Amino acid sequence: MKTRFAPSPTGHLHIGGARTALFNFLLSRNAGGEFVLRIEDTDAARSEAAYTEDILRALDWLGIVHDGEPVFQSRRAEIHRELTERMLAAGKAYHCHCSQERIDEIRKSALERKEKPRYDGKCRNLGLPAAPGSVVRFKSPETGETFWNDLIKGPVSFANEELDDLVMVRADGLPTYNWAAVADDHSMGITHVVRGDDHVNNTPRQILLYEALDAPIPAFGHVPMILGGDKKRLSKRHGATSVMAYEEAGYLPEALANYLARLGWSSGDREIFSMDEMIKLFSLSSVGKSAAIFDKDKLDWLNSHYIKESSPSRLASLLLPRFEEKGYANPGEKVLEEIVLTVRERGKTLAEMARKADFYFRKTLTLNPGDAKKLLTPEGKDILRSFVEPLRNAAPSDEDFNRLLETLAASRGVGKGAVAQPLRLALTGETASPGLSDIGRILGPEVVTQRINAALEHEA
Ligand code: GLU
């Protein structure tokens, strides 16, 4: 088995493309086959090296590993030319001299008659030579039926009369998508073509091209589309669609990979799969026939799961660049890991964790005026003042800190929360935070004292 992922570098790798890549990867690894990456960059005007970079980075990040070097379609012109010659020599293709105006005219009148535009075959049997501005067309069979047993959709067939003589090579000498894909899949020995179902209409044309080449026809599988929660095709309107935007937003690669696999594929009612488990269990027969719905809550749930499973040291190294980006000094591995432990359960993404840990790093805190007004009343400040002495020299243990809260609360006849909240606001700038004794330990007595004093000076 040899599968491929064949993205066009005309945009960032998006969720749908990444899922197609993943399915091809899982399929071939499951069968002990090969998985190759082909960058379909023949359209020079729309292709950009930066997008190729993005695709490679995103696949690498997700752990979707291709075999060998990536293949660039634009560098295979010689192979495309040879196969085109073969088709011409065998009488399976012909030079067409029809002008663009004529083609436009045919199109226009077909649309006026509410018919599907199709080339009328004017040059089909004229035996014309190549000429400047001419194109190469496929002599598509006019009768019969083209059938395949789709690996996902099941049996599919098209009447050949529906298909006109497609352009294989444009006037500028470049192969069209359908011809380049067949020429490459054939010459690269691809056995299984798995791609998005937006290509279903191309498949009968491609099968006819294989038949004309007298080449073995690969198996085809078309993966149903991904829809947003509103049942419309997934697009920017539904939020981020590019893979690297998910990295940026703080998703772990194994969470996104797991999520992408479950967009269409299932194995019982299980949700959590490592890459190795997916490789072991994957099969196209367990990919659903209907569209998959992108469910961000589920992705968040998986991400929280993988965050909780990650070691503090891994999370610390993933979070460090987020702190450095804000100009914060690296507090050292040990402190970072302690910080991680206090926010690990509090954020669904690395970005959220970083946001929740921000207060540890800030030189000065900005207190929300409403919270300050409520908590830093004369009485609140009085409570806050009573923490100065006990916290001045050392960070108390969890137990000692708890006792301190209890004593202060009892002496004032209020609840523990009432004494803790002014301190929480002073130390974090927030009214919800990790445990105060953890915070005291991580910040250290000096910063704690400084923050308490700053809050005491705060004019509400
Ligand atoms: N370059 C095509 C695309 O990105 C490839 C389709 C295919 O897999 O054949 O849609």
Side-chain angles (χ1 to χ4, degrees), residues 4 6-8 38 40 177 181 185 193-195 198-199 206:
R4 55 37 162 209
S8 308
R38 182 172 72 233
E40 301 209 321
Y177 156 69
D185 285 337
V193 172
V194 176
R195 57 187 171 202
D198 46 332
H199 284 286
Q206 295 187 7

Side-chain angles (χ1 to χ4, degrees), residues 323-431:
F323 297 132
E324 288 178 333
E325 206 170 79
K326 301 195 84 175
Y328 300 148
N330 180 351
E333 214 171 297
K334 189 171 157 287
V335 174
L336 269 178
E337 287 182 23
E338 285 194 60
I339 290 175
V340 161
L341 286 171
T342 68
V343 292
R344 183 154 68 159
E345 312 269 327
R346 305 181 71 83
K348 293 188 290 287
T349 61
L350 295 171
E352 254 181 57
M353 286 171 69
R355 226 176 299 128
K356 301 233 154 133
D358 191 65
F359 72 87
Y360 287 112
F361 296 87
R362 302 200 41 168
K363 283 237 149 44
T364 51
L365 300 177
T366 325
L367 307 184
N368 170 308
D371 295 337
K373 193 155 182 235
K374 201 169 122 226
L375 294 170
L376 298 178
T377 55
E379 203 208 338
K381 285 193 177 178
D382 209 36
I383 293 174
L384 200 48
R385 226 169 271 121
S386 55
F387 283 105
V388 175
E389 242 353 275
L391 300 183
R392 187 191 296 285
N393 292 315
S397 68
D398 213 23
E399 212 175 294
D400 290 348
F401 186 76
N402 218 8
R403 211 168 300 129
L404 175 63
L405 282 185
E406 270 163 14
T407 319
L408 289 177
S411 73
R412 296 182 172 265
V414 294
K416 249 165 57 177
V419 289
Q421 280 312 76
L423 181 64
R424 191 181 306 281
L425 183 68
L427 297 187
T428 70
E430 315 269 342
T431 51

Side-chain angles (χ1 to χ4, degrees), residues 89-104:
K92 307 281 188 180
Y94 60 94
H95 295 287
C96 167
H97 290 198
C98 290
S99 65
Q100 193 54 49
E101 290 73 43
R102 178 162 197 274
I103 302 297
D104 291 344

Side-chain angles (χ1 to χ4, degrees), residues 49-280:
Y51 290 133
T52 299
E53 282 305 308
D54 176 80
I55 293 166
L56 291 171
R57 227 157 53 91
L59 293 175
D60 180 60
W61 180 67
L62 284 169
I64 301 173
V65 189
H66 57 270
D67 294 309
E69 290 296 311
V71 172
F72 289 85
Q73 190 164 61
S74 61
R75 298 182 196 158
R76 300 172 63 80
E78 201 45 54
I79 295 169
H80 302 149
R81 237 186 326 263
E82 256 170 47
L83 288 169
T84 305
E85 284 310 321
R86 203 165 113 190
M87 292 284 274
L88 284 163
K92 307 281 188 180
Y94 60 94
H95 295 287
C96 167
H97 290 198
C98 290
S99 65
Q100 193 54 49
E101 290 73 43
R102 178 162 197 274
I103 302 297
D104 291 344
E105 201 44 53
I106 292 174
R107 192 184 156 74
K108 210 174 118 213
S109 59
L111 290 177
E112 274 166 13
R113 291 193 309 271
K114 299 207 180 341
E115 282 172 17
K116 214 164 94 192
R118 50 179 297 134
Y119 178 59
D120 60 359
K122 178 166 186 267
C123 300
R124 185 175 164 108
N125 296 310
L126 299 182
L128 296 169
S134 69
V135 302
V136 177
R137 282 188 188 273
F138 176 47
K139 211 179 251 186
S140 198
E142 289 164 305
T143 55
E145 212 181 34
T146 298
F147 165 91
W148 78 95
N149 200 357
D150 196 277
L151 298 170
I152 296 167
K153 292 182 171 307
V156 186
S157 67
F158 279 79
N160 290 345
E161 60 182 4
E162 298 273 314
L163 311 168
D164 64 350
D165 288 356
L166 70 91
V167 174
M168 295 164 60
V169 183
R170 282 189 286 255
D172 60 8
L174 290 174
T176 54
Y177 156 69
N178 275 309
W179 176 230
V182 169
D184 284 339
D185 285 337
H186 165 60
S187 55
M188 290 168 70
I190 301 301
T191 61
H192 291 67
V193 172
V194 176
R195 57 187 171 202
D197 72 359
D198 46 332
H199 284 286
V200 165
N201 290 330
N202 289 320
T203 301
R205 295 176 175 280
Q206 295 187 7
I207 289 174
L208 290 171
L209 288 165
Y210 281 100
E211 283 173 352
L213 279 173
D214 209 7
I217 299 169
F220 289 94
H222 293 88
V223 187
M225 340 192 229
I226 304 175
L227 306 178
D230 55 2
K231 305 273 165 76
K232 301 232 170 71
R233 198 191 173 93
L234 189 69
S235 74
K236 287 236 166 65
R237 281 180 304 122
H238 299 102
T241 51
S242 87
V243 169
M244 292 320 275
Y246 284 88
E247 187 219 37
E248 181 75 32
Y251 289 87
L252 296 180
E254 64 270 38
L256 189 58
N258 187 156
Y259 181 70
L260 290 174
R262 286 285 293 108
L263 267 179
W265 172 74
S266 59
S267 178
D269 50 13
R270 194 166 152 187
E271 291 294 351
I272 311 268
F273 301 89
S274 69
M275 194 62 102
D276 283 342
E277 289 165 335
M278 294 194 280
I279 289 173
K280 206 173 294 160

